[in-house]
Amino acid sequence: MTMISTCLFAQHQVTARVLDGDGNAVTYANVALYASDDSTLVKVETTADDGFFRIRNLVQDTYFLVISYLGAPDLKVDNLSVAADQDLGVLTLAPGGVDLAQATVRTTRALVEVKPDRTVFNVQGTINAAANDGLELLRKAPGVAIDNNDNISVLSRSGVLIYIDGRRMPLQGTDLSNYLRTLTAEQIDRIDIITSPGARYEAQGNAGIIDIRLKRAEDEGANGSLALSGSQGRYAQYAVNLGGNYRNDRFNLFSTLTYTRNQSFSKSDFISRQNNFLLVDDLLSVPTLRTPGIRAGLDVYLGKRQTLGVLFNGQYQNESREVGNSTEIYTGPSAVGQPVAGMPDSILRAEVFDEGDHNQNTLNLNYNFAIGSGHNLNVDLDYGRFRNDNQIDQPNRYFSPAGQLLSVSNNSFDTPIDIDIYTARLDYEFPIGEGAASAGAKFSQVNTGNTFLFYDGLHGDRQLVDDRSNSFAYDESVYALYSSYDGAFSERWRYSMGLRMEVTDASGVLTTFGGAPEPPVDFNYVSLFPNLGITHTLPSGNVLNLRYGRRINRPDYNSLNPFRVQLNELSYRRGNPFLQPEKINNVELGYVVGRRYNFKLAYSRTEDQVAQLLSPDDEDPRAGFETYDNLAQQTVYSFTASAPIQILPWWRTYLNVMGGYLSNEADYEEGGTVNIEVFNYRFYNQNTFTLPGKFTAEVTGQYIGPGVGGGTFEYNGFGVINLGLQRSLFHSLVNAKLTFSDILYTSIIEGSSNFNGLYAEGRVARDSRRVGLSLSYNFGNQKVRSRRRDTGLDAEASRVH
């Protein structure tokens, strides 16, 4: 961590030229620089066409250098003392085959990098990322799972927060899923999975933070890129990305324009048993998302030590969604596990026609002052504006088994949501003794307006129903102070510790159109969040690290709003205004062997775990609803292991295994009990083959074992196999990727839920079997990178990648 805190103030560089045994330049060799005291990775570069590399901005210290290239043993330069600029001259790689026990050489970044506090999933490290969207990429990320309702969990823990370039996305549920579907693999550089955030990170999030880092051009001069991608399953999807930048010693101007069209389907088939009724439900949802977007920024260098930057992101999504839903209603249901017999009493056919606009704009202003001698000041001001407007028609028609129309109930809804977010953050880094300290403050305010208008009739001929319409205003302010320190007991023992204090002031006011406001939802509390990390480097060079952290999950406006959102006449969703925030304690023990094989044990205990529950309706015995409630506690034990292995010079593989034991417990007395214990496991394997003709092939397989989604839905295991082929064209100016996703069509989620007298079992299938093609073209000067600016949540980590 000392290296991370001080590398901003570096004045020195290391240069060299890498040749092979015949005196030829070695192109695209990996050059990794590590700190000698704790083997911390400081910087990774690759050699240019002439074999030359340059590592800039290094503080005075002692390092070691590792140069790796496929087909040659690693070249290591030890005891590299940097007190001034170092030109190492010519470094020659020895000839020879690959040492299978040691080789980790790649001409691209490793697919996965495991660090003490995070796992980095390099999207560009896999061919099969091509033509995928952000949600599908998260399904591939190590330790990440997504259930049938698109809820995201990490290491079997729910409550993860999604960030884009270090800034939290306030969207939840379907809105968040839709946003992630508009991000393409061609836009994303890497995904950071931060399971144990330090004190400088906000304490929200049980499972930690997933930070999606978008690509950013940083080459000197004028540069650009054009990427086209598309895929075909049952429906077609495509995306266009055009980016460019101009950079010199005074400023860096960059921009990216995108357009995506994403059409897919989700099909669910469920059987529910409750109150002497049996319901056979089939649902097909076909959403279509059309999303133009822009990302633009300017960095101005105010001398050698100061940078002023502005960054704008805008996304303007139009969604149309058609849902067909058929529910057969039986009385005197068969026993659980028995087939449905006889004719239904009636059949409900409900449709949904949804049109919506989702506009999202964020603006960041950043000032960074590298004062010198280990001192650095960073200030961030952010504003986010999110406007969602949905108009929904929902005709409900009841038929007899013979097809005779029995009754009609037409409803429509308008559901606008306005969210405004203001944040201000100050961070100051400074040395204390032999270590590095940081302190800072942050203020954030979220104002949410959520209106639900219920109408009898469809658009064009309808009447507002006051007592079923409402508005819900939710405002949340969080004031935070933190301090942290990274130091060393000795050459082999390092530690980090921090404390964060957050004051939360939140309120929610529900106003029904047909009556007086409901009692407000109020939260006002002070919380302390300590964290501690200890790292020990063994004589062998292997590293042990132990981390502890306390976190919190505050309920969002969707889970607090108590009004019912109707999916059809027999199914609805409502929030719970009495939800309490989750309190979480996490402990992680990691072991890194040879800087490539990674193992981690983790323990998490959550009090007042917020869970999604399915319950029967109190008034209509046929109806059921989805709501939220606090479990008494959730306990999770997990284990992960990852290993990159060079099997043959032309074949390398990456293995990732995760296992976890999860226990959900709650007793709602007459409202039902929850007592679920599940051992969940996941296996991921990527094989990359270097083929003749400059082709690269990839085969990835993943199997996800049984687990729990939400609070009570227990799903079965399932697997996925993907294929990919890649080749560079026109002297490497164009990169082409062909992908085949879920070739056996096995990523189907099946499971059941049993809670409070409602038993449901069924399956969910997605439009996952697809053929995709991606073409990318880079143009411009393509000069060596110079200085850069990283702002937001993960600035300190970005400086070492």
Side-chain angles (χ1 to χ4, degrees):
M1 292 301 293
T2 302
M3 289 303 307
I4 295 174
S5 301
T6 57
C7 64
L8 279 178
F9 324 116
Q11 301 296 318
H12 314 307
Q13 64 181 12
V14 172
T15 58
R17 189 166 182 242
V18 181
L19 304 180
D20 62 17
D22 296 326
N24 300 315
V26 178
T27 303
Y28 301 129
N30 283 349
V31 182
L33 186 72
Y34 300 87
S36 292
D37 58 352
D38 61 357
S39 299
T40 300
L41 178 64
V42 177
K43 186 67 175 177
V44 176
E45 292 289 353
T46 58
T47 56
D49 291 341
D50 58 358
F52 181 81
F53 71 86
R54 182 194 312 272
I55 301 178
R56 303 171 182 267
N57 296 337
L58 298 177
V59 297
Q60 180 174 335
D61 208 334
T62 301
Y63 306 87
F64 66 89
L65 192 71
V66 178
I67 301 174
S68 304
Y69 189 72
L70 187 63
D74 288 357
L75 174 62
K76 185 174 182 182
V77 181
D78 285 312
N79 300 319
L80 180 57
S81 179
V82 176
D85 290 352
Q86 293 279 351
D87 185 356
L88 303 180
V90 173
L91 301 176
T92 302
L93 293 179
V98 177
D99 181 352
L100 300 186
Q102 298 295 328
T104 58
V105 181
R106 287 178 170 82
T107 56
T108 59
R109 287 179 295 174
L111 174 66
V112 174
E113 300 172 66
V114 180
K115 303 178 183 297
D117 70 330
R118 75 191 61 213
T119 299
V120 180
F121 177 46
N122 289 308
V123 171
Q124 302 311 308
T126 171
I127 299 171
N128 282 312
N132 278 189
D133 59 50
L135 194 65
E136 289 302 312
L137 289 175
L138 286 181
R139 295 183 193 275
K140 302 175 187 291
V144 179
I146 301 177
D147 68 13
N148 57 305
N149 291 318
D150 291 339
N151 295 311
I152 303 169
S153 62
V154 176
L155 298 180
S156 300
R157 306 197 303 251
S158 59
V160 66
L161 294 187
I162 301 297
Y163 283 73
I164 306 296
D165 281 338
R167 291 168 183 85
R168 178 183 170 188
M169 290 296 297
L171 305 177
Q172 301 287 334
T174 302
D175 293 331
L176 177 60
S177 301
N178 286 345
Y179 175 83
L180 293 174
R181 287 188 176 98
T182 65
L183 295 178
T184 65
E186 288 67 34
Q187 293 175 265
I188 298 173
D189 177 57
R190 70 179 196 270
I191 299 174
D192 288 358
I193 305 161
I194 310 171
T195 58
S196 184
R200 69 183 302 159
Y201 303 91
E202 62 180 281
Q204 176 81 355
N206 175 0
I209 294 163
I210 293 179
D211 189 13
I212 299 175
R213 291 280 168 171
L214 304 181
K215 290 182 180 178
R216 179 170 171 179
E218 295 176 1
D219 295 314
E220 294 179 344
N223 301 276
S225 64
L226 173 64
L228 307 174
S229 62
S231 65
Q232 180 68 53
R234 180 181 298 184
Y235 300 98
Q237 302 175 1
Y238 61 84
V240 181
N241 298 271
L242 176 63
N245 81 299
Y246 179 79
R247 187 188 193 100
N248 58 29
D249 290 336
R250 292 176 295 175
F251 67 89
N252 181 33
L253 177 66
F254 56 94
S255 179
T256 303
L257 301 175
T258 63
Y259 180 80
T260 63
R261 186 184 185 276
N262 187 318
Q263 186 173 26
S264 61
F265 79 86
S266 173
K267 188 177 189 305
S268 63
D269 304 293
F270 274 83
I271 297 176
S272 303
R273 296 170 170 87
Q274 64 187 65
N275 298 324
N276 207 39
F277 283 93
L278 183 145
L279 288 78
V280 179
D281 190 79
D282 298 321
L283 183 146
L284 176 65
S285 175
V286 181
T288 303
L289 308 175
R290 307 166 192 87
T291 312
I294 181 173
R295 184 171 184 260
L298 173 66
D299 292 336
V300 179
Y301 308 125
L302 308 175
K304 294 183 178 180
R305 296 181 179 274
Q306 300 182 69
T307 304
L308 181 66
V310 61
L311 178 64
F312 172 78
N313 280 285
Q315 191 181 87
Y316 311 96
Q317 180 183 101
N318 173 261
E319 177 192 12
S320 58
R321 182 170 61 103
E322 297 184 8
V323 179
N325 184 202
S326 172
T327 304
E328 297 178 353
I329 305 169
Y330 297 79
T331 56
S334 61
V336 172
Q338 296 298 315
V340 177
M343 297 293 290
D345 296 319
S346 61
I347 302 171
L348 169 62
R349 292 196 172 98
E351 297 174 293
V352 173
F353 302 96
D354 184 356
E355 287 285 342
D357 292 314
H358 313 291
N359 297 330
Q360 303 161 18
N361 297 281
T362 61
L363 182 66
N364 166 256
L365 181 65
N366 171 264
Y367 172 72
N368 186 270
F369 183 16
I371 302 170
S373 301
H375 295 260
N376 185 73
L377 175 69
N378 191 83
V379 179
D380 272 297
L381 301 175
D382 289 275
Y383 170 66
R385 184 178 187 272
F386 302 82
R387 297 292 184 267
N388 295 343
D389 186 13
N390 280 78
Q391 297 183 347
I392 304 169
D393 280 340
Q394 188 187 92
N396 296 273
R397 295 171 295 168
Y398 287 90
F399 292 86
S400 69
Q404 180 182 2
L405 180 64
L406 301 178
S407 64
V408 176
S409 174
N410 292 329
N411 303 124
S412 60
F413 318 92
D414 290 347
T415 59
I417 300 175
D418 296 342
I419 305 175
D420 292 281
I421 302 176
Y422 308 85
T423 63
R425 173 175 171 171
L426 182 146
D427 297 287
Y428 183 56
E429 300 172 354
F430 54 96
I432 295 181
E434 297 297 323
S438 63
K442 182 178 180 180
F443 166 74
S444 65
Q445 180 174 321
V446 180
N447 299 327
T448 302
N450 184 350
T451 302
F452 180 79
L453 303 177
F454 184 97
Y455 296 88
D456 272 341
L458 306 178
H459 281 83
D461 183 17
R462 61 182 187 171
Q463 182 70 38
L464 180 67
V465 181
D466 287 338
D467 60 358
R468 299 193 64 179
S469 303
N470 81 318
S471 65
F472 185 69
Y474 181 70
D475 298 325
E476 179 184 275
S477 298
V478 178
Y479 310 83
L481 295 172
Y482 82 89
S483 63
S484 63
Y485 182 75
D486 302 309
F489 298 115
S490 65
E491 182 179 349
R492 296 189 179 277
W493 287 92
R494 301 190 61 84
Y495 65 91
S496 63
M497 56 184 180
L499 180 65
R500 186 178 185 92
M501 181 184 73
E502 291 188 352
V503 179
T504 303
D505 184 7
S507 65
V509 178
L510 174 70
T511 303
T512 59
F513 284 38
E518 298 288 333
V521 177
D522 284 318
F523 297 105
N524 196 318
Y525 49 89
V526 179
S527 302
L528 296 177
F529 304 97
N531 66 82
L532 176 66
I534 299 175
T535 301
H536 176 51
T537 303
L538 302 172
S540 62
N542 299 336
V543 178
L544 272 169
N545 58 77
L546 177 66
R547 301 183 68 88
Y548 162 77
R550 185 173 186 267
R551 307 202 42 88
I552 192 172
N553 254 354
R554 304 175 186 89
D556 63 82
Y557 66 92
N558 277 323
S559 56
L560 290 170
N561 187 349
F563 225 65
R564 56 190 288 171
V565 178
Q566 182 169 299
L567 307 178
N568 62 43
E569 280 205 330
L570 299 181
S571 179
Y572 63 93
R573 180 179 64 248
R574 73 182 185 195
N576 178 0
F578 303 106
L579 281 179
Q580 296 298 309
E582 302 173 341
K583 285 82 67 179
I584 309 102
N585 288 281
N586 296 325
V587 180
E588 297 180 359
L589 175 64
Y591 183 51
V592 183
V593 179
R595 299 192 302 275
R596 58 175 63 90
Y597 306 117
N598 298 271
F599 307 90
K600 180 181 290 187
L601 287 170
Y603 166 79
S604 173
R605 185 179 180 88
T606 303
E607 304 296 334
D608 294 325
Q609 166 79 17
V610 174
Q612 290 176 280
L613 304 174
L614 299 174
S615 292
D617 184 53
D618 294 333
E619 299 178 0
D620 187 339
R622 306 169 302 167
F625 68 96
E626 178 184 291
T627 189
Y628 303 84
D629 214 328
N630 292 108
L631 301 178
Q633 62 188 26
Q634 180 187 76
T635 304
V636 178
Y637 301 89
S638 63
F639 167 77
T640 59
S642 61
I645 302 172
Q646 193 81 31
I647 299 177
L648 293 170
W650 49 270
W651 177 12
R652 65 178 183 268
T653 188
Y654 170 78
L655 300 172
N656 180 265
V657 178
M658 188 275 288
Y661 165 82
L662 180 147
S663 173
N664 284 348
E665 299 177 20
D667 186 353
Y668 303 109
E669 298 180 352
E670 294 184 1
T673 61
V674 176
N675 187 7
I676 295 176
E677 297 182 3
V678 172
F679 176 75
N680 176 248
Y681 55 92
R682 169 176 168 160
F683 174 80
Y684 180 87
N685 177 226
Q686 173 179 302
N687 295 276
T688 304
F689 306 93
T690 303
L691 304 178
K694 297 183 180 180
F695 282 95
T696 303
E698 186 175 279
V699 179
T700 62
Q702 179 175 225
Y703 184 81
I704 299 175
V708 178
T712 61
F713 184 77
E714 299 182 64
Y715 58 83
N716 303 328
F718 61 94
V720 182
I721 296 177
N722 305 315
L723 304 178
L725 189 66
Q726 174 180 272
R727 192 183 192 279
S728 295
L729 307 170
F730 306 112
H731 304 288
S732 299
L733 292 177
V734 176
N735 192 36
K737 298 178 181 179
L738 180 65
T739 61
F740 303 87
S741 300
D742 195 8
I743 59 174
L744 302 179
Y745 198 42
T746 50
S747 62
I748 298 173
I749 300 176
E750 299 180 330
S752 63
S753 172
N754 189 1
F755 175 72
N756 196 22
L758 190 157
Y759 177 84
E761 59 180 331
R763 51 184 267 158
V764 179
R766 300 176 294 107
D767 196 7
S768 56
R769 183 165 55 185
R770 310 186 67 83
V771 177
L773 177 64
S774 170
L775 298 172
S776 60
Y777 170 56
N778 296 313
F779 51 90
N781 292 328
Q782 305 296 310
K783 293 184 179 179
V784 178
R785 280 190 307 188
S786 60
R787 61 190 294 177
R788 63 172 290 178
R789 173 181 74 94
D790 276 294
T791 64
L793 175 75
D794 193 26
E796 71 279 10
S798 298
R799 296 180 190 118
V800 299
H801 293 312

